[in-house]
Amino acid sequence: MNPDRFDYIGNCSIRNTLDIVGEKWTLLVLRESFYGVRRFDEFQRALGCARNILSARLKTLVDEGLLRPESYREPGSRPRTEYRLTRKGVELFPVLVALMQWGDRWTADPVGPPVLISHRDCGEHVGVELRCAAGHGPVHARDIELAPGPGARLAR
């Protein structure tokens, strides 16, 4: 099926995802969440972005169900909020790893990548690789065929 015959612009999963996480600070907040950061001040210190921007990004991630706010209170302090990844948020981990892999290959410092990811159980490198449902892989862009899905719309 020729993909030009369908309107992917009005109903595109990539576009819909980018509407939520496509802003730089949003992806960096998610990165820090995967690194274990939970508290506003920790995010602010790690990212160095303006507090109003960080507040807006955290609100978006909570509103979209990627982070869940949890109240905590240090002795002698007012109640505050921690932000924890939800299942929906955790499912973005392979996306961030894929972006990191690409960046390590094409944009990293000549001495090497800034972060290495390894499997806690065996210590081996972790990476993202596409495979088909039958287990064939790695699958590359030239190995795929596009077909309209149930949400595809006929072009006008």
Side-chain angles (χ1 to χ4, degrees):
M1 182 64 60
N2 181 349
D4 294 335
R5 298 177 68 194
F6 291 86
D7 177 8
Y8 292 105
I9 295 171
N11 187 25
C12 173
S13 296
I14 295 171
R15 181 180 179 169
N16 295 341
T17 302
L18 288 175
D19 284 346
I20 299 168
V21 300
E23 195 277 329
K24 172 181 96 168
W25 293 113
T26 304
L27 282 174
L28 294 177
V29 167
L30 286 169
R31 178 197 68 190
E32 293 304 314
S33 295
F34 286 115
Y35 291 172
V37 173
R38 305 271 183 264
R39 298 178 178 181
F40 187 94
D41 289 340
E42 294 171 343
F43 282 113
Q44 215 279 318
R45 194 169 31 258
L47 298 172
C49 72
R51 295 177 73 82
N52 63 323
I53 291 172
L54 178 56
S55 290
R57 298 310 171 259
L58 288 167
K59 180 181 182 329
T60 296
L61 290 167
V62 167
D63 290 348
E64 293 293 339
L66 298 166
L67 293 178
R68 178 185 74 247
E70 276 188 19
S71 194
Y72 75 95
R73 185 180 202 150
E74 304 252 344
S77 297
R78 65 179 173 81
R80 296 183 179 249
T81 303
E82 286 188 333
Y83 299 90
R84 302 209 170 247
L85 286 160
T86 63
R87 180 176 173 202
K88 185 177 178 181
V90 168
E91 287 185 11
L92 279 170
F93 185 65
V95 175
L96 267 66
V97 172
L99 286 170
M100 182 187 293
Q101 273 180 212
W102 186 89
D104 289 348
R105 179 176 172 105
W106 297 104
T107 70
D109 189 288
V111 299
V115 175
L116 300 174
I117 301 176
S118 59
H119 185 219
R120 185 174 290 152
D121 289 349
C122 71
E124 288 297 319
H125 172 76
V126 171
V128 176
E129 179 178 275
L130 293 179
R131 297 189 162 278
C132 74
H136 303 117
V139 174
H140 301 283
R142 290 189 174 108
D143 301 326
I144 66 163
E145 291 182 10
L146 297 177
R153 298 180 183 140
L154 289 175
R156 293 178 196 102

